[in-house]
């Protein structure tokens, strides 16, 4: 299982991931997608770790997410930064954990200087996916819908509807916890049985 070594620091998450996505599965980590979502912050969040997103008119934090083609999260970096600025750290972590990845899909907010920076320093090719011209309302965009769906899945956990954590590390951990919950539910739906032997049923009297 090739992903076991890259995520050995979190054995529990690796075991769940390997069970949900087998090593011989066609769903590989070769085409991940990157996006961010802004959420409101509660009073418990300090001013040093929160900010105002003028585009979405939200006073809170941003959650930056990288997912693969199956929508399974790789890493989360909550930050009060512009998408392109925070993406440098996210992509750097991604490169360390998965050096086999060479292409990352992203929305138009990551276009520009970040594309050149990622190619020069990380040898990563960022392919922005722009919204079609002359379109209004909701539009499903190629590649991007995978990460947008994962962001929506995270919101199924009621605690993530708003950021309550004082430290960004706690927020990131809880979002990872929500992702593990999602994967274990998928695992349970597959009907996986325990590997230990069961006692034989008692003979009828």
């Amino acid at each position: 299982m090739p992903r076991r070594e890259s995520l050995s620091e979190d054995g529990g998450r690796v075991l769940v991931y390997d069970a949900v996505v087998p090593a011989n599965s066609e769903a590989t980590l070769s085409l991940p997608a990157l996006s961010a979502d802004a959420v409101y912050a509660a009073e418990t969040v300090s001013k040093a770790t929160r900010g105002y997103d003028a585009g979405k008119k939200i006073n809170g934090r941003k959650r930056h997410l990288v997912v693969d083609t199956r929508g399974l999260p790789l890493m989360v970096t909550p930050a009060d930064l512009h998408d392109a600025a925070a993406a440098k750290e996210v992509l750097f972590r991604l490169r360390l954990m998965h050096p086999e990845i060479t292409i990352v899909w992203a929305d138009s907010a990551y276009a520009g200087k970040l594309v050149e920076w990622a190619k020069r320093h990380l040898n990563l090719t960022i392919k922005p996916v722009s919204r079609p011209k002359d379109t209004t309302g909701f539009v499903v965009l190629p590649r991007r819908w995978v990460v947008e769906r994962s962001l929506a899945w995270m919101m199924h956990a009621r605690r993530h509807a708003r950021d309550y954590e004082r430290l960004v590390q706690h927020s990131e951990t809880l979002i990872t916890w929500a992702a593990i919950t999602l994967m274990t539910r998928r695992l349970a739906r597959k009907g996986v049985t325990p590997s230990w032997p069961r006692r034989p049923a008692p003979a009828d009297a």
Side-chain angles (χ1 to χ4, degrees), residues 1 26-27 41-43 77 97 104 128 147 161-162 168 175 187 190:
M1 298 181 182
E26 295 180 357
E43 296 180 356
T77 307
M97 296 174 64
V104 178
V147 65
R162 184 182 295 263
V168 293
I175 295 173
L187 185 61
K190 288 188 176 182

Side-chain angles (χ1 to χ4, degrees), residues 48-60:
T49 59
R50 66 190 297 165
Y52 183 73
D53 187 340
K56 298 182 179 180
K57 297 180 174 58
I58 292 179
N59 186 352

Side-chain angles (χ1 to χ4, degrees), residues 191-201:
V192 178
T193 56
S195 59
W196 57 83
R198 295 183 177 181
R199 295 182 180 179

Side-chain angles (χ1 to χ4, degrees), residues 7-204:
L7 290 177
S8 59
E9 294 181 359
D10 191 351
R13 180 169 56 173
V14 172
L15 292 175
V16 172
Y17 186 89
D18 289 341
V20 177
V21 183
N24 59 352
S25 173
E26 295 180 357
T28 63
L29 297 175
S30 59
L31 294 175
L34 170 65
S35 187
D37 186 30
V39 294
Y40 290 100
E43 296 180 356
T44 53
V45 177
S46 63
K47 292 183 179 180
T49 59
R50 66 190 297 165
Y52 183 73
D53 187 340
K56 298 182 179 180
K57 297 180 174 58
I58 292 179
N59 186 352
R61 287 175 173 166
K62 282 186 178 179
R63 296 164 177 171
H64 302 268
L65 195 65
V66 182
V67 302
D68 68 3
T69 52
R70 291 274 307 258
L72 301 177
L74 298 178
M75 66 188 68
V76 179
T77 307
D80 179 25
L81 294 172
H82 186 271
D83 293 352
K88 291 184 178 181
E89 180 179 354
V90 176
L91 294 175
F92 180 74
R93 295 185 185 183
L94 177 66
R95 195 59 173 157
L96 291 177
M97 296 174 64
H98 299 285
E100 71 277 9
I101 294 177
T102 58
I103 298 176
V104 178
W105 297 90
D107 59 32
S108 57
Y110 299 96
K113 296 181 179 180
L114 178 64
V115 177
E116 300 176 0
W117 180 88
K119 189 65 176 179
R120 183 185 307 111
H121 298 284
L122 302 178
N123 197 24
L124 282 174
T125 300
I126 299 179
K127 294 189 175 182
V129 180
S130 301
R131 183 185 181 90
K133 297 181 179 179
D134 302 328
T135 57
T136 58
F138 176 77
V139 178
V140 178
L141 300 178
R143 304 289 183 180
R144 278 183 54 187
W145 69 269
V146 178
V147 65
E148 300 296 342
R149 177 188 62 177
S150 298
L151 289 169
W153 283 341
M154 297 301 102
M155 298 297 284
H156 288 175
R158 184 170 55 182
R159 189 183 184 98
H160 299 319
R162 184 182 295 263
D163 201 320
Y164 297 93
E165 310 309 317
R166 187 168 184 83
L167 300 178
V168 293
Q169 293 85 351
H170 293 172
S171 179
E172 183 176 353
T173 300
L174 287 174
I175 295 173
T176 303
W177 187 0
I180 294 174
T181 302
L182 173 66
M183 289 191 288
T184 52
R185 288 177 178 175
R186 290 184 182 181
L187 185 61
R189 286 202 301 265
K190 288 188 176 182
V192 178
T193 56
S195 59
W196 57 83
R198 295 183 177 181
R199 295 182 180 179
D204 296 337

